[in-house]
Amino acid sequence: MSHSILDVQHISKTVNTAAGPLCILQDICFSVDRGDSVAIVGASGSGKSTLLGILAGLDQASSGDVLLDGNSLAQLDEEGRAALRAKLVGFVFQSFQLLPGLSALENVMLPLELHGRSDAQQKAEQFLQRVGLEQRLAHYPQQLSGGEQQRVAIARAFASEPSILFADEPTGNLDSANGAKIIELLFELNQEQGTTLILVTHEQRLAQRCQQRIELEAGALLNNSDTQAQEPQPC
Amino acid sequence: MLSLRLLWRNWRSGELKLLASALLLAVTVVSAIAIFTQRLEGALVQQSNTFLAADRLVRASGPFDEALFASADAAGVRWAQTIQFSSMTYAGERMHLAAVKAVSAAYPLLGELHISDRAFSRDPAHISAVKHGPGPGEAWVDGRILPLLGIEVGDLIGVGESDLTVTQVIVREPDRGGGFGFFGARVMINTADVAATEVIQPGSRIRYNWLLAAPADRLEPFLSELEGKLSPHQKLVDLKTAQRGLARTLDRGRQFLGLAAMIGLLLAGLAIAIAAGQFARRHTDQVALLKSLGSGAAQIRWLYTQQLLLLALVASLLGLGAGELLQRLISAAVTSVYPVELHFAGPWPYVLGLVSGLLCLLCFALPPLWHLPTVPPIKVLRRELQVDSVSRFSQTALGVVAVFAMVVLYTQNIKLTLTVMLSFFCILAIAAVLALGLLKVGRRLGSRSGSSWRLAWASLLRHRGQTVAQTLVFATAIMLLLVLSVVRSSLIDEWRLKLPEDAPNHFFVNIAPSQVDYVEQLLQGEGLQSAGLYPMVRARLVSINNAEPNEALKQQASILSRESNLSWAPELPSDNVLLQGKWWPELDLNQGHYVSVEQGVAKDLGLKLGDSLGFSVGGLKLAAQVGSIRSVEWDSMRPNFFFLFSPGSLDNYAPTYLTSVFIPPQKKTLLNQLLQQYPTILVIEADLVIEQIQTLSAQVSDGVGLVLVLVLAAGIMVLLAAVNASMDYRLQEAAILRALGSGRRRILLSTALEFFSLGAMAGIVAVIGAEVLLLGLQQWVLQTPLQAHPVLWVAGPLGGGVLVALMGLWASRRVVSAPPMLVLREL
């Protein structure tokens, strides 16, 4: 088994706009080891979310490739990438992305059901208990606070036991107390499950807890630093 | 099963309720109309076939071959025979030329004979309904023959050479019909007694009718086989040929129900499309999330297809149940008012209801949902990303094709379908332009009015595209409802117009010139108004432009093979219209005789103005030039003639007179007085036929009225769906306004004004559309006179505005009752 779970090779992303082609990402290279935590930081509009989308196989790069657990995303079609996401990837979003018509339990069960897991309910209950929401199983998203909703989202992400978890501003919609709790939870689960964490964040507190920090500016990699004194890992 | 669980969760969250309700309504409307119309039609056809006393009959001038009877028995077709002829009837010294009808044991095959043991009684206690005719040796007679011959029930009556006992008085005879075939009072006898009367001699004018009845699946094959066996003198007759007026009433009823079904379907389809569009919008983000969780397009497509199919199945079954229930309610309402027996509709309407649900979903719901599996997963991170949905054009095109196919399948009337659909799409295109124009006008008005108006118009203008789309949807629903209600009322009016309450219901024929004064005085004495006395001369048309008509023309125009009634009139009769030529005062009558010809005959004979016609009146020659061509309202129950001459033209030809008059039941005994005084005058009693036609029309009108209620429900559903579909952004805006400090009243008022403006704009567009659509229907389908409908111009905009405003307020009540924070959080 390869040491790195994510290998980003010279990816660029250009989109066509009315004013002509717009380069959002240019020649990004780095790799992430299995079980590591990585923070992608940068100003608004620097291309963080676009990069996250490409790393997770939600979007395609204009050039370059991403090897996710050794699988070339550029070689896969959408169906292939979906299958890979189902197998390897979990998500946590800034806006939680819970389905409003589903209870907390059903929201966590959904990916397990989609993957045909027969123990969906048991697993979902277990993870909701793990995030401290065992009393809130039957509650709907609008009956939960922002912090609780994000905990449901984390339970949903970890319940399918992904190898790698992508989080897009996971504390962006939360106050600092709730944000701190979510950060704790994410890292605890990261440790417990050995899941690789890729975070897009503005929050210094969160970025500093990650082992690796990737800083973007205007779509270019400004700095790839090891926040815990490890060697940078070039392509 | 995951899709079942997802379906249940979507249902519980309320996202499917609108779609499911629209689908349920579509199936309910289609199945209720289909089942009810099938039952009503079955009942009406059967009831109207009682006007024939059979499903079909074969009319002949000579006796039928026994082999034919055997073939009917073999095919399981019930049959009866009637033989009709004129014969002198006697009692002592008195005599009367009666219309004798001999009937076989099975007569009548359909319908009932109403008989009484006393003459002129209208008391139900004295009247009984029977399903057989008189037995051998018996005679059942019209009431008026009793005083005419000076006999009572129980006495003997002489028919030809035979004496029969009068046992019953006939009150109603199902197949009496109209026509001038045989005059005089009815004497009904058994076919077994015909030979003994010795009336039937070579050369006698006898009409033989062979009555047939069987379920359609047995009757139709038998008839198609029979047609090959019939001689040229034997003619197969159905209601259409026997009773033109009735057949038209039924056809119109069917056309209306077809139109109602089509409009119901269009409305329900529209509601489904809107609901599906809303469902798709809400599910775009959900699909992006599912994809981020690892679902592929194929899995998503399969999940949604399964959910939709399950939904279609459940909604269709429930809709079918609701439709069945509804049609039972309608049937119960109809049968409580009119004595009509409704039969099982057969499996087809039920199948149609189920198939409609599935087709509606496929054609209306699938296009807006089609793009869901292709939603890119990146949308989960970038919610602002626009998703390529199936173009509106493709969605509309698919919807149109589906509606067209379903409607043709349903109404089996391509002309009606094409007229409605083509007009509909022309109107939609024009309406879009119109709605934009109205929006501009509204902006100007809005900027000059109070703050709530300004707020309302600002909101409409901000969402210009959506405003136009919503106006079109509202307008479509309102337009279709307006069209349907106008068509219904004009149909009912037409039926009423055709047969007003005091339509003449008796014809007096063969009045000698010396009897004219007596008849006029008798009628005046009773306070009765006749349609005028018309002279009548029987003559045969023998030459056109001094040449004998050729064989081909004789085949084509039946008027050449029989005698016609000629008449003269100083004025053009009130229900005639001059189409070509001039009326008498403008013609030079010194140049010879002129004749005005009815347009149908003129067309059959290829006549034009100035052609000369030669008639033979009992061997005497009469020549006249075609001076004019006119149309005649044959259903008016007034005396009408193919050939009308200028006054004086027929003086030398010994005319008799003809008139028609309305005689109310309580004055019918005057007929006895008239006939006792002048037994040679022939009286045709059309009152029973008219009563039957009026009952039938009333049944059809009531049926269509109830169907209208169903379609109205579909229309309201569309309005609700459209209002609901626009609620998300309206709620959000209103909640923001409330958060910024706007008062509830102001928001409520501006919301009401916004919806009122939308509804009123839609109303204006709808009225214009309805007028165009009605024009098409009147011109090409219903063939009724073209007319404008001023009431619509008030009812459309005002009704539309108020209705839409109420629905809008109802849908947005939450925004003023719930705290704005809660509303914003839920959106």
Side-chain angles (χ1 to χ4, degrees):
Chain A
M1 189 192 279
S2 155
H3 194 56
S4 70
I5 189 163
L6 191 68
D7 205 355
V8 182
Q9 300 174 341
H10 303 285
I11 59 168
S12 297
K13 177 76 176 176
T14 308
V15 290
N16 290 317
T17 66
L22 177 71
C23 181
I24 299 176
L25 292 173
Q26 42 186 320
D27 199 30
I28 308 284
C29 285
F30 64 91
S31 67
V32 178
D33 283 348
R34 209 172 285 278
D36 268 7
S37 54
V38 179
I40 303 174
V41 295
S44 287
S46 58
K48 304 186 296 288
S49 293
T50 306
L51 178 61
L52 187 82
I54 291 171
L55 300 184
L58 297 177
D59 200 3
Q60 281 178 288
S62 305
S63 63
D65 197 3
V66 175
L67 298 181
L68 187 58
D69 201 21
N71 300 284
S72 159
L73 294 185
Q75 305 286 318
L76 294 171
D77 60 4
E78 174 47 34
E79 288 293 298
R81 290 196 298 273
L84 202 60
R85 284 196 299 274
K87 200 170 114 192
L88 300 173
V89 177
F91 282 102
V92 174
F93 305 97
Q94 179 178 8
S95 53
F96 323 135
Q97 296 279 14
L98 299 179
L99 298 185
L102 270 55
S103 67
L105 180 66
E106 287 164 347
N107 263 295
V108 179
M109 281 165 65
L110 186 65
L112 301 167
E113 289 176 323
L114 287 172
H115 305 155
R117 295 272 293 258
S118 57
D119 58 346
Q121 185 168 349
Q122 195 189 349
K123 203 88 187 159
E125 282 173 358
Q126 182 191 328
F127 272 87
L128 278 167
Q129 193 179 6
R130 174 66 190 83
V131 299
L133 290 176
E134 63 272 28
Q135 305 298 324
R136 304 284 208 154
L137 301 186
H139 284 60
Y140 288 92
Q142 66 267 30
Q143 298 169 313
L144 299 171
S145 70
E148 287 172 327
Q149 288 190 49
Q150 193 60 303
R151 281 196 272 160
V152 175
I154 289 172
R156 178 177 67 189
F158 280 100
S160 45
E161 294 162 344
S163 304
I164 183 163
L165 187 124
F166 293 93
D168 181 31
E169 303 272 12
T171 57
N173 273 354
L174 301 173
D175 58 46
S176 57
N178 268 312
K181 281 186 200 162
I182 292 300
I183 292 170
E184 277 314 311
L185 196 58
L186 272 176
F187 282 96
E188 276 171 35
L189 284 162
N190 163 234
Q191 292 297 317
E192 280 170 28
Q193 313 254 322
T195 311
T196 309
L197 261 186
I198 312 281
L199 303 167
V200 163
T201 186
H202 272 109
E203 207 174 330
Q204 285 304 322
R205 233 177 353 151
L206 183 54
Q208 276 166 5
R209 289 200 55 174
C210 294
Q211 292 157 319
Q212 194 176 339
R213 182 183 159 112
I214 289 166
E215 193 170 351
L216 291 180
E217 189 178 272
L221 191 61
L222 190 68
N223 184 22
N224 180 1
S225 63
D226 190 333
T227 55
Q228 292 170 5
Q230 287 180 2
E231 285 298 310
Q233 298 180 0
C235 292
Chain B
M1 191 171 152
L2 181 60
S3 48
L4 196 61
R5 282 200 297 275
L6 289 178
L7 183 68
W8 165 242
R9 289 171 191 166
N10 280 325
W11 170 261
R12 204 186 47 198
S13 70
E15 286 176 359
L16 275 177
K17 279 182 185 144
L18 192 62
L19 185 58
S21 314
L23 197 56
L24 184 77
L25 192 81
V27 180
T28 305
V29 169
V30 169
S31 54
I33 294 182
I35 300 168
F36 175 67
T37 49
Q38 192 83 17
R39 292 186 71 188
L40 184 70
E41 191 163 303
L44 289 179
V45 166
Q46 195 178 34
Q47 187 169 6
S48 40
N49 279 347
T50 63
F51 288 71
L52 299 177
D55 288 325
R56 296 289 172 86
L57 61 87
V58 181
R59 194 173 276 171
S61 52
F64 291 100
D65 191 345
E66 290 290 329
L68 284 178
F69 299 155
S71 68
D73 287 334
V77 173
R78 293 192 299 131
W79 63 271
Q81 199 188 182
T82 66
I83 305 167
Q84 295 181 64
F85 49 88
S86 285
S87 172
M88 206 52 93
T89 52
Y90 314 88
E93 295 299 307
R94 298 191 182 185
M95 61 179 82
H96 172 70
L97 185 66
V100 181
K101 177 169 171 179
V103 301
S104 65
Y107 171 89
L109 296 177
L110 294 178
E112 292 164 333
L113 272 163
H114 289 209
I115 51 173
S116 169
D117 55 4
R118 63 200 71 188
F120 306 115
S121 174
R122 298 230 154 211
D123 182 355
H126 299 144
I127 298 170
S128 49
V130 294
K131 284 185 180 281
H132 59 85
E138 283 182 72
W140 293 0
V141 299
D142 266 355
R144 65 191 173 84
I145 207 172
L146 300 178
L148 208 55
L149 295 179
I151 55 172
E152 298 288 331
V153 173
D155 291 348
L156 288 177
I157 184 172
V159 181
E161 297 298 316
S162 172
D163 280 342
L164 302 166
T165 310
V166 175
T167 52
Q168 297 287 348
V169 171
I170 299 171
V171 179
R172 178 179 293 187
E173 183 185 330
D175 53 339
R176 186 73 170 247
F180 292 73
F182 297 97
F183 301 129
R186 167 70 80 226
V187 172
M188 188 178 282
I189 64 172
N190 194 289
T191 40
D193 293 327
V194 172
T197 64
E198 296 182 24
V199 173
I200 299 183
Q201 305 291 339
S204 317
R205 194 176 164 213
I206 317 282
R207 184 192 282 172
Y208 292 84
N209 281 344
W210 183 31
L211 283 61
L212 302 164
D217 58 339
R218 252 183 276 163
L219 188 62
E220 293 304 331
F222 175 71
L223 289 177
S224 35
E225 201 181 315
L226 182 68
E227 267 177 305
K229 294 184 195 164
L230 296 179
S231 74
H233 304 293
Q234 296 171 327
K235 195 175 161 198
L236 197 59
V237 175
D238 60 11
L239 187 73
K240 262 200 179 108
T241 41
Q243 303 269 356
R244 208 177 35 161
L246 263 183
R248 241 179 79 176
T249 302
L250 273 181
D251 273 351
R252 285 294 161 80
R254 269 191 215 114
Q255 275 177 344
F256 176 83
L257 289 171
L259 187 69
M262 174 160 64
I263 288 179
L265 208 61
L266 268 176
L267 288 172
L270 204 55
I272 290 173
I274 297 168
Q278 195 185 358
F279 181 81
R281 272 194 301 284
R282 291 194 173 165
H283 276 248
T284 307
D285 288 342
Q286 187 167 328
V287 167
L289 177 73
L290 293 180
K291 284 200 161 179
S292 77
L293 297 176
S295 288
Q299 188 183 17
I300 302 234
R301 182 167 285 124
W302 180 231
L303 276 176
Y304 276 90
T305 307
Q306 275 183 313
Q307 286 186 67
L308 282 183
L309 286 177
L310 277 167
L311 185 73
L313 189 69
V314 174
S316 296
L317 285 175
L318 286 176
L320 207 58
E324 169 71 20
L325 198 71
L326 206 58
Q327 71 82 18
R328 274 175 194 236
L329 287 178
I330 299 172
S331 306
V334 170
T335 46
S336 69
V337 184
Y338 302 106
V340 53
E341 199 183 333
L342 296 174
H343 298 271
F344 175 59
W348 174 240
Y350 294 88
V351 174
L352 196 66
L354 273 181
V355 171
S356 310
L358 202 64
L359 273 179
C360 267
L361 199 70
L362 278 179
C363 303
F364 296 111
L366 210 56
L369 296 173
W370 190 252
H371 70 283
L372 276 184
T374 62
V375 169
I378 189 66
K379 189 163 166 59
V380 81
L381 290 176
R382 294 172 51 202
R383 296 185 78 173
E384 75 288 354
L385 198 73
Q386 289 295 317
V387 177
D388 291 337
S389 55
V390 176
S391 75
R392 283 273 152 91
F393 178 78
S394 314
Q395 290 188 26
T396 314
L398 197 61
V400 172
V401 172
V403 170
F404 189 79
M406 279 164 79
V407 172
V408 168
L409 186 77
Y410 195 91
T411 60
Q412 291 168 6
N413 186 339
I414 291 186
K415 202 169 164 185
L416 176 74
T417 313
L418 269 179
T419 304
V420 175
M421 302 286 282
L422 281 179
S423 321
F424 184 63
F425 289 106
C426 289
I427 291 162
L428 270 192
I430 299 164
V433 178
L434 199 67
L436 273 172
L438 282 172
L439 209 54
K440 270 191 182 160
V441 175
R443 179 159 75 175
R444 264 188 230 137
L445 291 176
S447 64
R448 287 186 215 143
S449 1
S451 61
S452 295
W453 271 109
R454 263 206 311 278
L455 213 58
W457 276 95
S459 170
L460 288 177
L461 286 164
R462 228 176 3 261
H463 309 282
R464 191 188 308 257
Q466 201 159 2
T467 302
V468 171
Q470 279 172 8
T471 307
L472 289 191
V473 171
F474 288 137
T476 306
I478 299 171
M479 173 182 78
L480 293 178
L481 293 178
L482 289 178
V483 165
L484 203 59
S485 32
V486 168
V487 170
R488 177 184 171 258
S489 0
S490 75
L491 271 189
I492 290 171
D493 286 351
E494 189 197 344
W495 289 330
R496 284 207 190 117
L497 255 175
K498 205 185 288 170
L499 294 172
E501 286 289 305
D502 57 351
N505 58 1
H506 289 76
F507 289 87
F508 298 166
V509 189
N510 203 31
I511 306 168
S514 60
Q515 299 161 349
V516 167
D517 288 345
Y518 174 83
V519 171
E520 280 189 325
Q521 279 165 15
L522 180 72
L523 294 179
Q524 274 168 15
E526 292 287 343
L528 300 174
Q529 186 71 46
S530 83
L533 277 153
Y534 289 81
M536 191 173 100
V537 167
R538 290 187 70 76
R540 186 184 287 268
L541 178 63
V542 289
S543 70
I544 298 172
N545 292 331
N546 303 317
E548 194 187 332
N550 58 33
E551 277 309 312
L553 194 59
K554 280 183 183 170
Q555 290 287 324
Q556 186 187 320
S558 60
I559 198 146
L560 292 170
S561 57
R562 58 179 164 86
E563 286 195 323
S564 324
N565 296 320
L566 314 185
S567 186
W568 73 82
E571 307 290 340
L572 184 69
S574 60
D575 54 354
N576 287 202
V577 178
L578 204 61
L579 302 174
Q580 288 178 43
K582 297 167 180 165
W583 198 245
W584 317 135
E586 293 173 58
L587 294 168
D588 184 1
L589 298 178
N590 298 323
Q591 295 285 315
H593 300 311
Y594 279 98
V595 61
S596 175
V597 185
E598 190 266 344
Q599 61 169 340
V601 168
K603 192 179 165 202
D604 285 353
L605 296 174
L607 297 180
K608 51 191 188 303
L609 296 178
D611 280 352
S612 75
L613 302 180
F615 292 90
S616 165
V617 189
L620 299 172
K621 298 284 174 214
L622 166 65
Q625 247 185 70
V626 178
S628 63
I629 292 173
R630 78 208 135 79
S631 69
V632 171
E633 183 58 69
W634 290 108
D635 298 327
S636 69
M637 293 284 177
R638 301 161 73 91
N640 267 306
F641 300 89
F642 291 124
F643 301 104
L644 262 186
F645 283 76
S646 51
S649 316
L650 303 176
D651 280 356
N652 300 329
Y653 300 92
T656 60
Y657 288 80
L658 158 76
T659 190
S660 69
V661 63
F662 172 74
I663 304 178
Q666 67 273 18
K667 291 193 175 168
K668 278 199 80 161
T669 45
L670 86 85
L671 298 179
N672 302 331
Q673 198 184 332
L674 175 76
L675 291 167
Q676 271 172 341
Q677 184 72 26
Y678 294 114
T680 51
I681 294 179
L682 306 171
V683 176
I684 296 165
E685 296 167 76
D687 50 347
L688 296 180
V689 180
I690 292 174
E691 192 192 319
Q692 281 169 320
I693 292 181
Q694 276 169 342
T695 308
L696 196 70
S697 300
Q699 277 175 5
V700 179
S701 320
D702 272 38
V704 299
L706 290 161
V707 166
L708 186 68
V709 172
L710 271 185
V711 177
L712 199 69
I716 302 262
M717 184 85 197
V718 171
L719 297 184
L720 261 180
V723 166
N724 266 330
S726 71
M727 271 340 278
D728 280 0
Y729 77 82
R730 284 181 213 276
L731 283 175
Q732 191 176 23
E733 285 182 5
I736 291 170
L737 282 175
R738 271 195 72 198
L740 294 176
S742 267
R744 286 179 189 198
R745 250 187 87 176
R746 190 170 170 202
I747 290 176
L748 214 56
L749 189 63
S750 80
T751 309
L753 290 175
E754 189 182 332
F755 277 108
F756 180 83
S757 309
L758 254 181
M761 277 200 308
I764 296 171
V765 175
V767 173
I768 297 172
E771 289 283 19
V772 176
L773 200 54
L774 282 167
L775 205 70
L777 282 173
Q778 288 167 343
Q779 178 72 30
W780 293 297
V781 183
L782 301 170
Q783 282 155 5
T784 48
L786 303 182
Q787 57 182 69
H789 309 88
V791 180
L792 295 190
W793 289 89
V794 180
L798 206 64
V802 171
L803 198 66
V804 174
L806 286 177
M807 286 184 191
L809 280 180
W810 171 255
S812 51
R813 66 196 182 285
R814 233 183 100 64
V815 82
V816 287
S817 60
M821 187 60 211
L822 200 65
V823 176
L824 285 173
R825 216 167 122 184
E826 284 176 13
L827 291 168

